[in-house]
Each structure stands twice: as C-alpha cells, then as structure tokens.
Amino acid sequence: MTDDMKTRGGDVPVLVAALGGMFLAMLDQTIVGTALPRIVGDLGGGELYTWVVTAYLLTSTVTVPLYGRLSDQHGRKPLLLVGMVVFVLGSALCGVAQDMVQLIAFRALQGLGAGALLPLSLALVMEMFPPGSPRGARTQGALGGVMALTYLAGPFLGGLFTDHASWRWAFYVNVPLGAAVIATVVLRLPNRPGSGAGGRPDYAGIAVFTVAVTALLLGLTEKGLDGHTWTDAAVAGPILLALAALAAFVAVERRAANPIMPLHLFGVRTYTLVNATSFVTAFCMYAGVVFLPRYFQEALGASATESGLRIYPMTLAMVAGSALMGTLMSRTRVYKPWLLVSPFLLTAGTLLCLNLARDTGGLALAAWMALIGLGMGPMLSGLTVAVQQAVPPQYIGTASANLTFFRQIGGSVALAVGGTLYTSTVAAEAPAHGLPAAHAAAAAAVIPSIGVAGALIAFVALAAMPGRRLETPAAPPSKIEAGFAS
C-alpha cells in the first residue's frame, strides 16, 4: 500500500467526524419543523409554538462566532467536543420533555452546543484539505453537498418518525449519531493547539454581542408573527436595542486585546463581500426551503412530509451544484467566475415562480426549483473557500463562523420580510379567491421578491470581489493531511 493510500485511509475517520458534526447541526434545523404540529398536539402550549424554533435559533446564532474565535485561540478539538456533548445532551433532554416550557429550555441548551458544529467542521476540513491542495476544492464541494443533503433527509425523517414512531425520535436520533461522532473525534482527531492570541477572554464583547443578536432575533421573530407591524413595540423595541448594542459592540471590540470578532478582518475586501453575499443569498435559500413547502401544504393540500419530498428537485440540484463547484475550483484553481454564474440561476429560478398557481405543472415547477438549487449549491461551497482564503490561517475558525453567522441572520431577516408580504397577500386575496388560491398568490409574490433581491445584491457583491487563484499550501498536501491522519 502506498503512503498516499495510507494517508487517504487515515483521513477518512477525521473527515467523517467533521462532516458528521455539520450534518447533525443542519439536520436538526430541518427535521424538527415537520414534527412541530404533533409536538404541540401532545404537549399543548400552542401559544409557545414559535419559541421551540426561536430558542434554538437564538443560542446557536449567538454562539457561532464565539466558538469560531475561541477555537482559533485554544484549538478546534476541545471546543468541538464541548459543542457536541452539549448538543447531544440537549437532544436527549428534548426527547423526554413533558411540556412546552421544558422543551423550549432544552432546545436552548441544544442550540448552545449546535453553535460549534458547523463553523468548526468547516475550519477542520479547511485545515485537513486546503483549497489549493489536489483534493481540497473537491472536499469543499462535498461540504456544500452535505448541507444540501440535510434538506433532503430532514423533512423525510421528521415525517417518518412522527407518523410511524414518535416525534421524540426527531431528537433521539441525534444521540447515537452524536455519540459515534464524539468517539471518532476523541480517538482520531489530533489535539492541535490554537494558533491565535490567548490571554483574557473578551467578556465585555461576548456580553454586548449576546444582547445585540438576541434583541435582533427577538424583534425579527415577533415581526414574523401574524398581526405585528414594524412599528409595534414588540418589534421596533428589540430592533432598536439591537442597533444600540451593535454600536456599543463595535466600540468594545476596537479596544479589546483579544476581540471575539476581530474588526480588522472587515478591512479585507474579499472577507467583507463574501459575508455580505452569504447574508443576502440566505434570502434565496429561505425563499425555496421555507415558502415552497408552505405553498405545497397551504395551496395544494399536501402533508408536511409530502411537501418536504416535493422540494427534492431543488435540494438534489443543490447537491449537484455544490459538487460541480468543487470540481471546477479544483480544475481551474479559481472560484470567482463560477460564483458569478450562481446569481443568474437564482434570479431565473425565483423569478419563474411568479407563475405559481394552484394548477402549476409539476414538471415546470421541478425545473424552476432545479434552477434555484443549481444556483444555491455553489454558494454553499464556493463562499466557504473564498472566505477562508481571504484571512490568515490563525483566523480560519473565525472566518468560517462569521460566514455561518451572517447566513443565519440573513435567513431571519428573510423570514421576517417574506412573512410580512406572505401574510398581507393572503389577507388581500382570500376574500375574493379563497384561501388555497390566496396562498398560491402569496408564494408567487414572496419567492420572486426576496429571491431576486438577494440574487441581484449577491451579484453586485461578487462582481466587486477581487479575483484570485487558490493558494497552494506552504507544505506539500500529503504532509499536511498525514499530520491529521497520524
């Protein structure tokens, strides 16, 4: 057996651990939604329905940048293990929850762990397989594929467990999967020390950042509820508080010795533009994965499980687009030209959804969804490579985490804006055309509106981004990868 074959074989368990952590975090975001109606039916507390999602979103979003920065300073392995253990514990407790208050509290605990899984997985794969190495870009493409696969597996598994076992298995499934990933991390992942600055943690920055993000997400969540306007105190108050806290956060980070979010990185044009692109392309993603299932359920009368299956043309295309992006980056050693194609596909796919109606043909809609997926897939893998290439090695964890953070915040904004337009359209159309037709009209209004807006802004940001070739690692790839296999 050659040394290269040994290296590749040794890489497999570590790669499985990294991708497994990411899969767990993203699966949880998609599997629970399908089970929520049954959960409310069993536990009651329907007025707390949205908090099952919000509690997880709050804690996971707040902790994403914190885990990323701390892993740069103290190493990936200990932070990844902390996140995985907390996530698995929270999942087990969610499965045994006896009322909605318990479930919400355990979902918050679960989110505290989930914040580590996606950004640290991205950073680990970057270190194992740098984009400039022979297998690096293709591996980065696989990351986007895993992200897209969660949108395939989540709704199906959630429906399967809910219909044929118990909604509690939507949480229990994380326990054996998480235990296997934890064992692999403990046994096979090297414990490499952090390469960033150490010293006293940025407690002030963490506190102010937590207030800012929590207030913003609370305001956006309230806006997404029926009957709330942007000027309502429940919406405007938290958002104004978030803006004030954001200003304070910038002031704190400028003076911090070891800032939790180094502001000087935003002086790097590629870094800033990639994060902006991540923010706005979340509009395109959420237009598809949130509002298309709602169209299937409300306009066509499909079940939750069936609606998840019907978006397979989009999610399969996301997998294909991500894999294709990895191959193109590997062969050409550039990423900007391929990223610039994505906004055109996203614009075409979401714009065609202007034609959505109750009698829209299945094949036509599948083609529109495939365009959205083909445009979204390269964004999932290509942006990760671009942002990691834009920063020094000691900030890879921070860069990966902030990319995830801005995508999640963009998704929250998309839900608030899209939800408002959806509700107003249904209210306007229902008296004359009935509820099913009104929901079809709402989907036809929301998906093109937020999808095209996100795609056009993304194109402007990507066009302004400097073009660069993928950098070759300083050490031979085989030596880098062998270090992780040892």
Side-chain angles (χ1 to χ4, degrees):
M1 182 182 293
T2 65
D3 290 341
D4 181 64
M5 292 174 65
K6 292 178 182 178
T7 297
R8 294 188 182 199
D11 285 334
V12 170
V14 184
L15 184 60
V16 167
L19 296 180
M22 185 174 70
F23 181 79
L24 282 173
M26 298 198 70
L27 179 68
D28 194 75
Q29 295 178 23
T30 57
I31 195 173
V32 175
T34 309
L36 267 179
R38 185 70 58 83
I39 292 173
V40 173
D42 285 357
L43 299 183
E47 70 280 3
L48 300 175
Y49 182 99
T50 59
W51 279 99
V52 177
V53 176
T54 301
Y56 179 91
L57 179 66
L58 279 174
T59 53
S60 62
T61 302
V62 167
T63 53
V64 159
L66 309 185
Y67 278 117
R69 183 64 179 136
L70 291 173
S71 75
D72 283 338
Q73 296 174 334
H74 305 291
R76 313 274 183 241
K77 183 173 181 175
L79 271 299
L80 184 60
L81 283 174
V82 167
M84 285 182 170
V85 170
V86 172
F87 177 81
V88 170
L89 175 62
S91 298
L93 291 173
C94 285
V96 299
Q98 298 302 304
D99 56 50
M100 286 292 278
V101 174
Q102 288 184 15
L103 180 61
I104 290 166
F106 297 148
R107 282 284 282 169
L109 177 64
Q110 192 184 30
L112 285 176
L117 302 186
L118 182 56
L120 299 194
S121 296
L122 294 174
L124 278 170
V125 173
M126 171 68 176
E127 291 171 337
M128 289 170 58
F129 305 100
S133 68
R135 286 185 285 157
R138 285 193 294 271
T139 305
Q140 293 289 336
L143 289 177
V146 170
M147 293 181 189
L149 280 171
T150 61
Y151 292 106
L152 291 172
F156 173 74
L157 290 176
L160 187 68
F161 290 144
T162 302
D163 294 339
H164 301 288
S166 166
W167 61 262
R168 297 181 185 275
W169 276 100
F171 299 106
Y172 288 148
V173 69
N174 294 324
V175 178
L177 293 176
V181 175
I182 289 171
T184 305
V185 171
V186 170
L187 297 174
R188 301 304 300 268
L189 186 65
N191 186 16
R192 294 193 166 190
S195 57
R200 183 176 179 271
D202 179 19
Y203 293 118
I206 293 172
V208 179
F209 177 79
T210 300
V211 171
V213 176
T214 300
L216 176 62
L217 292 178
L218 286 175
L220 293 174
T221 299
E222 288 295 324
K223 182 63 193 74
L225 300 178
D226 292 345
H228 281 155
T229 67
W230 288 105
T231 56
D232 287 349
V235 177
I239 291 177
L240 290 175
L241 173 61
L243 293 175
L246 177 61
F249 177 69
V250 171
V252 169
E253 295 300 272
R254 285 182 178 274
R255 295 193 298 269
N258 301 301
I260 202 68
M261 186 177 286
L263 298 181
H264 71 272
L265 293 179
F266 290 97
V268 179
R269 187 165 61 160
T270 296
Y271 177 84
T272 300
L273 291 172
V274 168
N275 280 308
T277 303
S278 182
F279 178 89
V280 295
T281 51
F283 284 40
C284 308
M285 176 182 287
Y286 278 63
V289 301
V290 173
F291 292 103
L292 276 172
R294 191 168 183 180
Y295 159 78
F296 290 131
Q297 293 177 49
E298 304 289 356
L300 305 186
S303 67
T305 303
E306 185 183 355
S307 68
L309 295 175
R310 287 196 182 190
I311 64 167
Y312 270 25
M314 183 177 66
T315 48
L316 287 171
M318 287 169 67
V319 175
S322 180
L324 178 62
M325 181 68 181
T327 300
L328 291 172
M329 286 190 295
S330 178
R331 291 183 178 179
T332 64
R333 302 182 65 79
V334 295
Y335 49 79
K336 180 178 176 178
W338 315 120
L339 283 174
L340 281 171
V341 175
S342 290
F344 290 98
L345 296 171
L346 291 169
T347 299
T350 54
L351 196 59
L352 284 167
C353 289
L354 279 169
N355 301 307
L356 273 178
R358 294 193 68 200
D359 59 353
T360 298
L363 287 178
L365 182 52
W368 305 345
M369 288 190 287
L371 286 173
I372 298 173
L374 287 172
M376 200 64 231
M379 292 294 189
L380 296 177
S381 53
L383 293 181
T384 301
V385 172
V387 79
Q388 292 176 341
Q389 287 269 295
V391 301
Q394 65 267 30
Y395 292 110
I396 286 177
T398 299
S400 302
N402 286 342
L403 187 72
T404 302
F405 170 75
F406 282 108
R407 183 182 293 125
Q408 291 184 191
I409 293 295
S412 298
V413 173
L415 288 177
V417 174
T420 298
L421 178 57
Y422 195 100
T423 300
S424 62
T425 304
V426 169
E429 294 287 330
H433 304 289
L435 271 177
H439 281 285
V446 172
I447 295 171
S449 297
I450 63 176
V452 172
L456 292 179
I457 298 172
F459 178 79
V460 172
L462 291 171
M465 187 175 69
R468 62 182 297 177
R469 292 181 64 80
L470 296 179
E471 295 180 358
T472 302
S478 59
K479 293 182 180 179
I480 293 174
E481 295 165 4
F484 275 88
S486 61

